[in-house]
Amino acid sequence: MKAAVLYAAQDLRYTDFETPRINEHEILVRVKASGICGSDLPRVLGNGAHYYPIILGHEFSGEVVEVGPAVTNVKVGERITGVPLVPCLKCFDCQKGWYAQCKNYSFIGSRVFGSWAEFVKLPAINGVRLPEGVTYEQGALFEPATVALHGLLVMGFRGGTDVAIVGCGTIGMLALQFAKILGARRITAFDLDSRKLALAEKYGASACINTGDPDFKRQILDLTAGRGFEMVVESAGVEFTEKLSLDIAGNKGHVMFIGTPAKPITLTPGEFENINRKELTVRGSWMSYSPPFPGKEWELTGYYLQQGLLRVDELIDRVIPLSEINAAFADLAVPGKVNGKILLKG
Ligand SMILES: [Zn+2]
Ligand SMILES: [Zn+2]
């Protein structure tokens, strides 16, 4: 088969590679659409890969072309989205249903070969059927959508609340839409990029604040009558937005950190004291799983996509052939050049 194989840092080649062979519990999928995730950048451009050579890609959809003899949940010819986490299902955490915290997990597209290829194999339970009418492109956006929804579910998001979405990247835009779907009273979006804020408005943000504006703090005070927000969802994972999230949460507010920082974060005593003084509930979120595996995040994402309540088409920057993946990474290395998700097709 053809695949984009990573042989070393910055050495990604579109080449011939052995087609995966399945065992009795696995399925073989012909990849129809596959995303490039922010987490793939350090793997390709830096030394973030587990080993070489490796095929990355963990956000994908495709058609089932072969199933092992023990597989009963999916059939050849069905359209699926791929669930990348492969938990051991045996350890303490897995028994609890805390699959994302499994110590013996595998992960398609980082620990085992992923979807930047013509074919990918996965355990049958990692194939989630795409609802009728949901496209393969939308199917490749399932995984990031479930990450956003999981964050809201973990923080106990409730309807009727005044929520701030800090960071309008792919996860932020998806969290914004889920906040709307789940009944947020008011949504305020924060970003530095006015193009992203324009899209946030289209997705239902009632206010947008550009953190590049010199008076943006004044805007927050005006908007919330000095009270801050009831719920804050952070997804950028940089020091500025992590601190901002603690700062703009109101008394007794809830802050959800979905974004993962790549650099150290230093808080002054005053910045930390936000948590004490306002009695904040600060939560983190990791991946997108709940029992029974892979969880309601996956089922609901399919449902909301099918109903047209969740929109992902505008989150796609471009769809290109897998053979042009290196051009995509050249653009991704330039900050601000890519505005959204890049999808790869066979
Ligand atoms: Zn990802
Ligand atoms: Zn486990």
Side-chain angles (χ1 to χ4, degrees), residues 88-89 91 94 102:
C88 79
L89 301 177
C91 72
C94 282
C102 173

Side-chain angles (χ1 to χ4, degrees), residues 63-86:
E63 184 191 344
V64 179
V65 292
E66 193 186 340
V67 301
V71 172
T72 54
N73 66 319
V74 281
K75 296 189 193 74
V76 169
E78 285 186 320
R79 305 156 67 245
I80 60 115
T81 182
V83 175
L85 179 71
V86 184

Side-chain angles (χ1 to χ4, degrees), residues 199-273:
L199 184 56
E201 205 173 347
K202 207 169 150 189
Y203 280 154
S206 23
C208 292
I209 294 183
N210 191 317
T211 48
D213 285 354
D215 74 332
F216 84 92
K217 292 225 162 161
R218 166 98 265 139
Q219 296 174 36
I220 298 168
L221 290 174
D222 290 349
L223 199 65
T224 64
R227 285 198 285 269
F229 297 94
E230 290 177 84
M231 294 213 167
V232 181
V233 182
E234 195 284 337
S235 62
V238 297
E239 181 167 308
F240 176 79
T241 52
E242 310 265 26
K243 289 181 177 187
L244 178 67
S245 298
L246 297 175
D247 190 37
I248 65 176
N251 291 339
K252 319 277 177 173
H254 292 248
V255 180
M256 165 49 74
F257 289 118
I258 303 178
T260 51
K263 292 181 185 153
I265 287 169
T266 310
L267 296 176
T268 65
E271 287 162 350
F272 186 91
E273 204 183 284

Side-chain angles (χ1 to χ4, degrees), residues 13-157:
R13 295 180 222 159
Y14 180 72
T15 181
D16 287 305
F17 208 81
E18 204 185 333
T19 304
R21 269 189 234 141
I22 59 169
N23 71 26
E24 57 173 343
H25 299 288
E26 291 177 326
I27 60 176
L28 187 69
V29 173
R30 181 188 295 276
V31 179
K32 295 287 188 173
S34 183
I36 298 175
C37 174
S39 68
D40 292 319
L41 300 186
R43 295 183 183 125
V44 172
L45 303 172
N47 291 311
H50 281 286
Y51 57 87
Y52 304 106
I54 187 165
I55 300 173
L56 302 172
H58 60 269
E59 305 172 352
F60 62 97
S61 62
E63 184 191 344
V64 179
V65 292
E66 193 186 340
V67 301
V71 172
T72 54
N73 66 319
V74 281
K75 296 189 193 74
V76 169
E78 285 186 320
R79 305 156 67 245
I80 60 115
T81 182
V83 175
L85 179 71
V86 184
C88 79
L89 301 177
K90 294 187 187 85
C91 72
F92 173 82
D93 297 287
C94 282
Q95 293 292 315
K96 287 276 192 184
W98 304 339
Y99 307 114
Q101 281 74 33
C102 173
K103 308 250 180 344
N104 312 310
Y105 73 94
S106 185
F107 198 87
I108 295 160
S110 78
R111 292 176 184 234
V112 294
F113 288 176
S115 59
W116 295 351
E118 260 182 277
F119 298 98
V120 62
K121 70 168 182 178
L122 49 155
I125 59 164
N126 288 60
V128 169
R129 259 197 301 276
L130 286 176
E132 196 66 42
V134 174
T135 66
Y136 283 123
E137 283 82 1
Q138 292 169 333
L141 268 296
F142 244 72
E143 199 267 347
T146 61
V147 167
L149 177 57
H150 182 72
L152 295 189
L153 296 178
V154 165
M155 82 187 292
F157 187 86

